[in-house]
Amino acid sequence: MNTPQFHRRRQKAVVFVGLMLFGLLFFLIQIWLFVAVLERVLSGKTEVAIPAAIASSVVFLANLWMLRGLILVSKSL
C-alpha cells in the first residue's frame, strides 16, 4: 500500500476532486451572474449586462481550462 504508485494515484484523486469543486463553484457563480443580470434587465436597468457578460465569459474560459485539466488527470488515473 505504501508504493509510490499508490501515493501518486492518491494525489491525483485529490487534484481531481479539487478541480471538480472549483468547477462547481464557478458554475454557481455563472448562474448567480445570470440571475442578477436578468433581474436588472427586467427592471429596465441594462448597464450591467455587458460587464456581467465579460465576467461570465472569463469564468467560462476558466471552467474550460479546468475541464482540460480534469481530462488530463483522469486519463492518467
Side-chain angles (χ1 to χ4, degrees):
M1 272 272 193
N2 285 333
T3 64
Q5 291 85 9
F6 171 75
H7 291 296
R8 196 172 306 123
R9 192 172 297 134
R10 193 168 166 190
Q11 281 180 332
K12 288 179 183 178
V14 170
V15 169
F16 185 81
V17 170
L19 285 173
M20 290 288 287
L21 287 175
F22 274 113
L24 178 63
L25 177 68
F26 283 163
F27 178 71
L28 291 174
I29 288 172
Q30 276 190 300
I31 290 175
W32 174 74
L33 274 170
F34 175 73
V35 170
V37 169
L38 187 61
E39 286 178 354
R40 299 277 300 201
V41 168
L42 290 176
S43 69
K45 300 173 184 165
T46 60
E47 66 273 358
V48 185
I50 299 299
I54 292 169
S56 184
S57 298
V58 169
V59 170
F60 177 71
L61 291 174
N63 255 340
L64 284 179
W65 177 71
M66 286 193 310
L67 176 64
R68 181 181 167 271
L70 279 173
I71 291 170
L72 292 175
V73 168
S74 67
K75 282 183 181 178
S76 62
L77 282 177

